[in-house]
Structures are given as C-alpha cells and as structure tokens.
Amino acid sequence: MLDEMPIQEVMGRHRLVNDRLDASGGPRTLVERTRDRSYSPRTLDLFCGAGGLSCGLSAANFTVLEHLDNWKPAVDTLNANFDEQRQPTDIADLEASELRSMGWGELDVMAGGPPCQSFTSAGRRSENDHRGTLVGVYARLVAEVRPPVVVFENVEGFVTAGGGRYVFDLLDPLIEAGYRIVVRKVNLANYGVPQHRKRVIAIGSLIGEPLLPPPTHSAWGAPGAERVGGCPPTPTVEMALAGLPTPHSSSAPQGHVASDVGDTERSRISALKEGQTMRDLPEHLWHESYRRRANRRVMDGTPTQRRGGAPAGLRRLRRDEPSKAITSAAIREFVHPTSDRPLTLREAARLQTFDDSFRFCGTATEQATLVGNAIPPRFATALGATIRDHLVANADADPRRPGDGTLVEFNVTNADAMSPALASVVAQVRDRYVQESLFASPDR
C-alpha cells in the first residue's frame, strides 16, 4: 500500500544514505545538514514493533538509524525487512549516552510508542502493569538526549489510564527539558488510512512551534471524521483490498491465507450482512462470551474499567466504507465484506497500509499482534513530511536553551462531550501546564 515506493527500494535508499553519512567526516549542525538538497532527517525508532513508523518515515526521505524493540517477533520482522541483524533490546536499561552514539551526533528526531497493551480500552487495564512505566523511561531518554524533535504515539485510552498518570509521565520531563508540545487525538482515516483508527499523537520541538500534518481525507462512520471538508474521501475497504488474489493461491502474498472455521462459526458468518455484527444475529448463534456480556447487569460487581459494553463480536465489514480499527483480533473477528470467511493477515496489513512485500515473522498470533499494533506507514509518511519541513524551516533556531518548554495544545477528543474520566484529566492538565483559554470546557 505504500504506492510511492516498494519496501525494498525504500530500504535500499536508506542504506545508501547511511553509507554516504558514514563517510561524511563527523557531525554537522542542523543548519549544515538542511542545506543539503538530499537532507534526510535522522531518527531513532524506539518501541518500534513491526516498523510501520520506520517504513513511512523512510518513504518521507528519513534515515532511520536504529530500530529498538524487546519483543523477538518484532525484531525478527525488522531484520527480515530492513536487512538488519538486531537483537531484542530492553529499552528500560538504555542510557542516553548509548542513544547519542547511535545518532552519531546528528540526531534530528526520536520517535516511539511505548507498549500500549496495559492502556488500551479494548482490553483490561492494570495500573500496576510494568509496561506503563516505559512512558516515563521514553520521556527521560528524550530529555537527556535532546533531539530537536520528539514523536510519541499511543492508543486513545492512554490519556485516561491511571487517572492521567501517564500523560504526566510523558509531559513533565519533556516540558522541563524545553520542548514545546502538541498533544492531539487524531483519526488516521483523515490521513488516507482505510480504517477508523484513533490514536494520540504528541509532537515536541526544541526549535519552534510543533506541527501535525493537516488532514488530507474526509471520512465517515466515526465521530468527528466527517468534519474534515474539502478533501478527497478516505479509501474504502474495497479499494484497499483490490487486486489481491484468492487466498491460498500460488500468487498470494505472505499471510493471505483464510482461517479454517467450524460449522457453527460458518453459520454465523454466512448470516451476517455487510455492516452487521454479532448483535444482529439470532441469539442461538451468539458466542457464549458475547451472551454473558450482553446480559450482564451494571450492578454485577465488575470493576468499571473492565465492564465495557457488549462487544461487537463478529463483524462483517462494509466494502463501501473505511474499516473499523485493525487490532490483533481482526483476523478472528472481522469478516470479509463479500466472502464468507474472516479477513486474512495480508488483508489486515493492507488496511494498515503495509506494502504486500512486507513480511511478518513469528507465529500466526504474533504476526496478528504485529499488524494490529503497528503505526500505519501511510500516516507515518504524512507525519514525516511535516516534521521534515519543520526541521528545515527552523534549522537556525538554538535547540540548547532550556526553560521555554510548554504545552501548546492538548486536544484529545473529537466528540461533543467528554466522559467524566477524560474531563478530569483535561482539568488536571489545564491546572498543571497551561492557560484555560487553550482548552475546550470539560462540560461543554
């Protein structure tokens, strides 16, 4: 789906740029680097997973110096696609000096999305999950290394997890180090990604006002997505999956294999019309787990953060709309719009905008997790283009002066109202960092 450049060509150019920089004779200032017409911002990608962010940044003419992750299937995937021989790295044990040496004195951007499993609203949260502390680890490393620009990405549940604790773990060290920061929840469908994927993006800069790319597409089917006017429509599921051969065929790309399902599951799937979910099926076809949650009473003693509503269960996608968000469960729960089968891994990767040549490693479950957790390369390309323009436009600014750090924007909802949990975090952020005029009222 990275139509601009196949993954092999992106990575081939990436290695040529590195070879040239190896022979450049030492670190240069940002001004000196941006004077080069072939300027390729240099970045480290931490907690990088399958490398979707790196794919997109490379397509935007970035040089990704290092990919760091602690999960072996992710590292194997990076090695397979980026022609590397990395080993899993425990980022929590890294020192700033190690990251500086990876940047060769010319680091422009540090990017990362600390693991979000303990935050996501799709699963159970645990405030004691050690993975949550990696947000603070990441912010500390950035504050010590001080690249001109920092990028952070996470799921929308990140904002309210722990009552806002992780927001402060991220912002406190960065603001103290002098970063001006924009935090915004975006729907990646508004950037041409053929799915409604809501994510929290934070951009920090030491050299000027940070910017996120302006939306490029208008979408429908999720709150706020349709408010982007004057843009072409987001690609649909049908458009994203166009051209794929029949699953299991000899010409099928890696992962384009339909899962076998039993007779009962096949009956459920065949009964679903486009856009329908488990709740539209007769009760005798419901999954038992769906039945329990659908009938659960509010006062059943289940902790609030684990209750949720009745799950959608199986869902047949509509061919004429963007997909719902791809998760690690998509190849079990999402049904092809017109074929009576679940989505294949490759179809899920298409909806995440990965090129068909991109290979995923690990077991089937691990590959599904890699796909579901990835940053879509198409969005990363748009993000990279905006950051590169920012670096060039502000190259003569002095990034070494601390004390100018501030929260420029904290826009974390596209809805017309906030939940009590979100309103509480927004109020805390307002009181802690910025003037009230920068925020919408929590009770609007």
Side-chain angles (χ1 to χ4, degrees), residues 28 42 70 98 111 116 128 135 160 164 174 180 208 210 253 286 301 308:
R28 302 160 294 167
R42 311 178 77 195
N70 194 37
E98 296 176 82
C116 60
N128 296 319
V135 174
T160 54
L174 298 183
R180 301 180 68 80
W286 286 2

Side-chain angles (χ1 to χ4, degrees), residues 269-346:
I269 288 174
S270 62
L272 286 173
K273 298 178 181 178
E274 285 189 55
Q276 289 189 335
T277 69
M278 181 78 75
R279 66 177 61 94
D280 298 301
L281 295 178
E283 287 195 29
H284 73 274
L285 289 177
W286 286 2
H287 287 142
E288 187 55 39
S289 61
Y290 177 85
R291 186 187 310 280
R292 286 196 301 270
R293 290 191 65 182
N295 294 330
R296 186 161 54 202
R297 295 177 180 273
V298 172
M299 298 302 292
D300 64 357
T302 303
T304 301
Q305 68 271 26
R306 294 185 181 179
R307 182 182 295 118
L314 282 179
R315 176 191 300 275
R316 189 184 287 273
L317 300 180
R318 290 182 61 100
R319 74 188 97 174
D320 58 348
E321 292 183 354
S323 171
K324 302 302 179 183
I326 296 298
T327 68
S328 59
I331 61 172
R332 300 192 307 272
E333 296 181 350
F334 286 4
V335 177
H336 189 277
T338 58
S339 298
D340 287 341
R341 59 171 177 79
L343 286 186
T344 69
L345 181 81
R346 182 52 55 185

Side-chain angles (χ1 to χ4, degrees), residues 145-191:
V145 175
R146 293 180 57 80
V149 172
V150 56
V151 178
F152 173 87
E153 179 268 353
N154 222 304
V155 296
E156 58 181 330
F158 158 79
V159 175
T160 54
R165 165 191 169 188
Y166 303 110
V167 172
F168 305 133
D169 282 351
L170 175 70
L171 295 180
D172 281 352
L174 298 183
I175 291 175
E176 184 177 353
Y179 284 92
R180 301 180 68 80
I181 303 172
V182 166
V183 180
R184 190 181 302 169
K185 186 172 83 169
V186 297
N187 186 339
L188 303 193
N190 290 132
Y191 295 91

